Amino acid sequence: MDAYPRQPFSPVPAARALALGIALSLAAACARDPAPAAAPPAPVAPAKAPAVAGPAPAAAPDAQPADVAGLRLERLSALPALPKQDNAEVAGDCSVEPKSAEARAAVVRGWKVFAEREWQGYRVVGVAGAPGVLAGMGCTAGGGRLLFFRDGQAVAQVFEPGARAEDGDSGVQGFDDGEDAKLRGGDAALGVFDWAVQRARVRAEDGALRLVALPETDRYCGGRVAVPRVEGVALPQARERLLAHGWRAAPPPREEPGFVGGLVEAGFPEVEDCAGTGQGFCSFAYRNDAGDRLTLISAGELSRPEKPGDEEYWPHARHAGVACAGAAAPAAGD
């Protein structure tokens, strides 16, 4: 896959699930809830680039900005340059080598590339001013955005208005690789992620790009499996949503809970394993009556009040991945 970190994935053995959870997030323990659905999004049609860079005039209906979940899809007349003030103090460099002519053109304009892939006839290039490592967050791409190219021309971008490179948790910082879309029955929408969770999707319809809100549920395995939105939701509420959609906890066999004992005692025997460092990622196992499997990934450490007045904090869900019944289980190390 060309795209970096934070892609949807299928349930896997605990250690691999945690590794994927870490790649999925690249960020801190807290997360934002996806915004509710907005008004019907406006289309953004591809266009040949004139000489002047920047957003195209919004006079035509197909050029009006579309805003969903705090993100904006905007038509481009040419490849934008990196804003002069868009810099940040980061350790290391999380950018990748540009693979395409489109990505190399973005580098010439001052951007650094954190991901790229082909999608629905477009080249999608993720760029930011300073992708790098921030303490406690890992690799980030603050102020990042997605650039959409068609026939070598920049035709649209998705970004978070006001996001800056110095704000490590801001902007668009990833997109999925299409594997989750295959499980959704060929739904070709492109998932767009911030530093922690999926925020919206982009669709290519009738020659135009549309930014759309996340559905309340996604359907997998030929449509028989429903998975509710859990991104950014506290663990108890995420579990309730899964149980209400026919999933049940599937505790793994264990002799002693060990490191995950706190979560088991808190009523989550389905916890498989947790990372002892970083963002505190944990994986939780669920099944349904048809034998489909679901792995929930959370981030953050459980903090229960020890005395009256103490604050309680629950881990928050980052992603739920499905493996349909009959599908080969991934081997360890895959």
Side-chain angles (χ1 to χ4, degrees), residues 2 43-47 73 100 102 116-125 147-157 175 188 190 202-210:
D2 298 356
V44 177
L73 173 63
S100 64
E102 294 88 345
E116 58 176 302
R117 66 167 287 203
E118 290 292 330
W119 172 78
Q120 297 291 292
Y122 294 86
R123 187 71 184 179
V124 185
V125 181
L147 302 175
F148 293 80
F149 294 82
R150 192 70 178 260
D151 299 327
Q153 301 293 327
V155 296
Q157 63 177 342
F175 50 88
L190 181 74
V202 178
R203 295 187 180 279
E205 299 174 334
D206 300 323
L209 295 174
R210 294 179 180 272

Side-chain angles (χ1 to χ4, degrees), residues 126-318:
V127 298
V133 179
L134 290 180
M137 296 178 67
C139 272
T140 65
R145 63 184 67 189
L146 301 186
L147 302 175
F148 293 80
F149 294 82
R150 192 70 178 260
D151 299 327
Q153 301 293 327
V155 296
Q157 63 177 342
V158 174
F159 65 104
E160 179 180 351
R164 295 166 56 92
E166 63 188 26
D167 300 321
D169 61 349
S170 72
V172 176
Q173 303 201 22
F175 50 88
D176 66 43
D177 62 357
E179 292 304 311
D180 193 64
K182 293 178 183 178
L183 289 173
R184 296 198 306 265
D187 176 8
L190 181 74
V192 180
F193 292 77
D194 64 14
W195 65 288
V197 297
Q198 187 175 190
R199 295 261 301 268
R201 289 176 184 161
V202 178
R203 295 187 180 279
E205 299 174 334
D206 300 323
L209 295 174
R210 294 179 180 272
L211 184 66
V212 299
L214 298 174
E216 292 190 4
T217 61
D218 279 318
R219 303 203 72 88
Y220 298 86
C221 309
R224 74 170 183 273
V225 174
V227 178
R229 294 260 73 82
V230 294
E231 296 96 332
V233 177
L235 183 59
Q237 287 70 48
R239 188 180 198 257
E240 288 178 4
R241 293 184 185 184
L242 293 175
L243 297 180
H245 282 77
W247 297 97
R248 65 177 184 274
R254 60 165 63 92
E255 295 182 2
E256 297 289 339
F259 184 69
V260 299
L263 284 166
V264 173
E265 294 174 3
F268 294 86
E270 65 269 29
V271 61
E272 296 177 298
D273 202 358
C274 291
T277 59
Q279 301 306 309
F281 292 98
C282 294
S283 63
F284 301 80
Y286 299 86
R287 288 182 179 270
N288 62 14
D289 291 339
D292 306 303
R293 296 167 293 152
L294 182 148
T295 296
L296 177 70
I297 298 295
S298 73
E301 296 182 3
L302 173 64
S303 177
R304 305 297 299 276
E306 297 181 359
K307 61 181 183 298
D310 285 355
E311 184 178 356
E312 181 177 68
Y313 180 81
W314 286 95
H316 282 60
R318 289 289 175 85

